[in-house]
């Protein structure tokens, strides 16, 4: 990775490139995370140098703040074991990091992850506690050391920081349920919905097994070790309910329902800020993830028939109010 930031205009034309790998004031020590703070200011989190910077759209540095002491005080692991998950436009950071895992027998471990909100003004840090992040089987490699084998159908929690830092939503690992907190860590609402669970078929499991065993040599495992490790994972009946969530510019939340492995998302259920259902949205085929939801547009990452990554912008057409 070049650790650069590239700015494109509204019509997709490249405007400027800035940054680069390093420890200087305008360089990044890890892949930068970006948020838009107003119409002409970029907020950039540098995970390698543990600092938050503001740039204008021409790439000029406007200000910078190091937060290494804050990161150390959390005790949840630094990059790459801990990372900033999302950035609010005012500079609040939603940080995730590993906490103590729970062994469940043999080499299997339930991995727990903590969600922590770092407000922009340096106020009290709000810790939302540990949440299940899936199961891992650890297998001893033939040359020494261990490889971790993750369950592709494991239940896990989706988390999203709202357009303003006073809203953080965390989904339940199994049920169609979402807890909504304010920026002070207080639970404000619980939203529940109905969900037609997707059964995990033999073909789905076989496809996941084939992808994993195809990586055996890269993991330092023999084919037999890889097959046995995958077959030791839990034999689940159905896919968990919620895979991903995203707030839009109007304060509505888009809830992506799981249809397979972690990144396989089906329809999105759109709810208003009171949890009332507004619409069901089916994204175009090839969509990998949503980057941004504006008032009348959708910016997504997509892959074409050859697997080439590209950005696509779609117009959202809403019914008359």
């Amino acid at each position: 990775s070049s650790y650069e930031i590239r700015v494109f205009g509204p019509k997709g034309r490249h405007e400027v490139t800035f940054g680069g790998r390093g420890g200087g004031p305008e360089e990044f020590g890890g892949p930068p995370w970006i948020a838009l703070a107003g119409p002409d200011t970029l907020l950039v989190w540098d995970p390698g140098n543990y600092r938050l910077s503001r740039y204008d759209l021409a790439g000029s540095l406007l200000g910078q703040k190091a937060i290494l002491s804050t990161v150390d005080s959390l005790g949840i692991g630094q990059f790459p074991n801990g990372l900033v998950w999302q950035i609010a436009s005012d500079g609040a950071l939603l940080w995730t990091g590993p906490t103590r895992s729970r062994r469940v027998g043999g080499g299997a471990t339930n991995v727990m992850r903590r969600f922590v909100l770092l407000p922009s003004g340096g106020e009290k840090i709000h810790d939302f506690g540990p949440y299940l992040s899936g199961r891992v089987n650890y297998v001893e490699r033939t040359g020494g050391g261990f490889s971790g084998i993750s369950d592709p159908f494991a239940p896990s929690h989706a988390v999203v920081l709202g357009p303003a830092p006073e809203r953080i939503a965390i989904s339940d690992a199994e049920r169609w349920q979402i807890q909504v907190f304010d920026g002070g860590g207080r639970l404000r609402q619980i939203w529940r919905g109905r969900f037609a669970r997707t059964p995990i078929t033999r073909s789905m499991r076989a496809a996941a097994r084939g992808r994993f065993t195809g990586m055996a040599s890269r993991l330092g495992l023999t084919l037999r070790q890889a097959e046995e490790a995958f077959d030791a994972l839990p034999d689940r009946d159905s896919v968990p309910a919620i895979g991903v969530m995203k707030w839009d510019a109007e304060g509505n939340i888009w809830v992506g329902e799981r249809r397979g492995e972690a990144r396989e998302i089906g329809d999105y259920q759109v709810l208003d800020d009171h949890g009332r259902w507004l619409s069901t949205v089916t994204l175009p085929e090839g969509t990998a993830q949503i980057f941004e939801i504006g008032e009348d547009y959708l910016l997504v990452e997509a892959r074409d028939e050859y697997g080439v990554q590209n950005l696509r912008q779609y117009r959202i057409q809403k019914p008359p109010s």
Side-chain angles (χ1 to χ4, degrees):
S1 172
S2 63
Y3 294 5
E4 294 177 336
I5 294 176
R6 297 176 176 88
V7 180
F8 294 83
K11 296 184 178 180
R13 177 178 297 178
H14 176 252
E15 302 287 347
V16 67
T17 296
F18 61 94
R21 185 191 296 265
E26 300 182 41
E27 297 175 325
F28 307 117
W33 293 66
I34 307 170
L36 191 62
D40 56 2
T41 304
L42 290 175
L43 188 66
V44 181
W45 163 247
D46 177 355
N49 295 313
Y50 304 100
R51 63 192 179 198
L52 198 63
S53 305
R54 291 179 182 270
Y55 291 85
D56 64 21
L57 296 186
S60 298
L61 180 62
L62 303 176
Q64 202 163 66
K65 177 183 179 182
I67 61 169
L68 180 58
S69 60
T70 304
V71 171
D72 284 339
S73 71
L74 296 176
I76 58 174
Q78 297 180 5
F79 186 86
N81 294 319
L83 55 89
V84 169
W85 195 255
Q86 291 160 26
I87 312 173
S89 59
D90 71 341
L93 306 179
L94 183 61
W95 185 279
T96 76
T99 184
R100 182 175 299 173
S101 299
R102 301 174 183 172
R103 297 193 64 177
V104 293
T109 299
N110 277 341
V111 179
M112 310 301 293
R113 186 168 294 275
R114 281 171 56 196
F115 301 140
V116 178
L117 178 68
L118 283 66
S120 59
E123 307 97 297
K124 180 183 177 182
I125 295 169
H126 303 296
D127 188 344
F128 294 91
Y131 288 83
L132 180 66
S133 185
R135 178 170 293 190
V136 177
N137 283 349
Y138 290 97
V139 181
E140 187 172 2
R141 297 192 293 263
T142 52
F146 290 85
S147 288
I149 314 307
S150 299
D151 181 0
F153 302 106
S156 61
H157 296 267
V159 58
V160 64
L161 178 62
E166 56 264 25
R167 286 187 295 174
I168 298 96
I170 303 175
S171 74
D172 189 89
E174 293 277 9
R175 299 171 295 172
W176 209 111
Q177 177 174 293
I178 300 168
Q179 293 180 312
V180 182
F181 300 85
D182 63 19
R186 292 176 291 271
L187 178 63
R188 293 303 190 187
Q189 296 173 315
I190 297 178
W191 301 338
R192 296 184 177 95
R194 295 182 178 180
F195 175 70
R197 286 192 172 273
T198 301
I200 299 173
T201 63
R202 289 185 178 180
S203 61
M204 290 167 63
R205 189 172 296 279
R209 188 177 190 267
R211 282 190 294 273
F212 169 71
T213 54
M215 299 187 299
S217 59
R218 282 194 290 163
L219 295 170
L221 304 175
T222 66
L223 179 60
R224 181 175 179 179
Q225 282 180 307
E227 291 174 340
E228 290 178 348
F230 186 90
D231 293 340
L233 292 170
D235 188 13
R236 305 186 186 279
D237 295 327
S238 59
V239 172
I242 296 174
V244 66
M245 298 186 294
K246 188 81 174 177
W247 295 99
D248 68 16
E250 296 181 316
N252 305 313
I253 190 168
W254 293 43
V255 183
E257 298 175 326
R258 287 262 304 259
R259 287 294 181 266
E261 298 181 46
R263 293 180 64 87
E264 295 179 7
I265 305 298
D267 291 340
Y268 282 79
Q269 306 299 332
V270 185
L271 313 177
D272 69 11
D273 59 357
H274 295 289
R276 293 176 297 219
W277 179 84
L278 298 176
S279 178
T280 299
V281 177
T282 301
L283 297 187
E285 187 176 353
T287 301
Q289 63 175 315
I290 296 176
F291 283 133
E292 185 177 357
I293 310 171
E295 293 184 3
D296 61 355
Y297 70 89
L298 188 67
L299 184 64
V300 306
E301 174 197 348
R303 298 184 184 275
D304 62 19
E305 57 185 314
Y306 303 105
V308 178
Q309 180 187 29
N310 56 77
L311 290 179
R312 297 179 186 175
Q313 187 178 40
Y314 296 97
R315 183 170 299 280
I316 299 175
Q317 294 181 333
K318 302 178 182 178
S321 57

